[in-house]
């Protein structure tokens, strides 16, 4: 019987799931929109909503910051969560993220989705995500 065993296992061990969600939360805070499979996005959404609710307690609440750091494991992203994202949703009573379906993946036909913040900063998408072709051409021209 599966009484009180909510949530998808996603074909991973519990430690792998925890680490995966920590990485996905850090990426979502950093870029404010990520593309993943639909089941992962649906599982990530309530966890992220609780983190944003935690961040609404303010940047001076040390206990809330430590609770968030225990889940996200990235101090820079927790700082952004408490300094930028928390105050952005201070007047919103919930529903900070949305899941948008994005078709099917070419290789295995997995259903894909975007998970994003509702009032996201469009310029944060792809920020500091590694080298791009534009940077390489600018360096070669100089």
């Amino acid at each position: 019987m599966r009484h009180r065993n909510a949530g998808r296992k996603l074909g991973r061990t519990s430690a792998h799931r925890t680490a995966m969600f920590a990485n996905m939360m850090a990426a979502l805070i950093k870029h404010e929109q990520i593309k993943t499979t639909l089941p992962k996005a649906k599982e990530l959404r309530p966890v992220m909503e609780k983190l944003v609710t935690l961040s609404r307690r303010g940047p001076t609440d040390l206990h809330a910051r430590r609770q968030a750091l225990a889940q996200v494991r990235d101090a820079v992203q927790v700082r952004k969560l408490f300094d930028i994202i928390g105050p952005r949703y201070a007047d919103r009573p919930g529903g900070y993220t949305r899941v948008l379906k994005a078709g099917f993946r070419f290789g295995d036909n997995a259903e894909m989705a975007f998970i994003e913040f509702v009032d996201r900063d469009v310029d944060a998408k792809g920020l500091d995500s590694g080298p791009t072709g534009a940077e390489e051409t600018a360096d070669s021209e100089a």
Side-chain angles (χ1 to χ4, degrees):
M1 288 181 281
R2 285 185 44 90
H3 298 301
R4 299 183 62 152
N5 290 332
R8 297 172 179 88
K9 292 186 180 179
L10 300 172
R12 288 161 171 81
T13 61
S14 60
H16 188 175
R17 260 193 321 276
T18 306
M20 180 183 67
F21 282 137
N23 291 331
M24 288 175 70
M25 284 185 284
L28 182 58
I29 294 167
K30 182 177 185 179
H31 302 294
E32 301 197 13
Q33 178 190 42
I34 58 173
K35 185 176 184 180
T36 183
T37 62
L38 184 65
K40 285 182 194 170
K42 285 182 175 180
E43 283 298 307
L44 181 65
R45 183 176 182 178
V47 180
M48 197 68 227
E49 298 269 344
K50 288 173 187 159
L51 271 183
V52 176
T53 302
L54 200 63
S55 71
R56 289 177 54 196
R57 287 168 41 180
T60 58
D61 192 345
L62 183 61
H63 180 58
R65 190 177 290 264
R66 285 179 174 165
Q67 284 178 317
L69 192 59
Q71 282 194 318
V72 178
R73 302 177 190 162
D74 189 346
V76 176
Q77 302 314 321
V78 171
R79 192 175 310 122
K80 179 181 177 183
L81 178 70
F82 275 81
D83 294 344
I84 297 171
I85 295 176
R88 184 190 303 166
Y89 298 111
D91 298 329
R92 191 177 187 95
Y96 315 112
T97 59
R98 70 167 64 103
V99 176
L100 302 168
K101 292 185 179 182
F104 297 91
R105 187 162 51 200
F106 178 69
D108 59 355
N109 209 31
E111 196 169 7
M112 301 299 287
F114 285 101
I115 181 167
E116 64 182 16
F117 286 111
V118 174
D119 297 327
R120 71 184 175 94
D121 179 19
V122 179
D123 296 332
K125 182 180 177 184
L127 190 67
D128 299 330
S129 59
T132 62
E135 293 172 356
E136 293 171 5
T137 57
D139 292 337
S140 64
E141 292 175 2

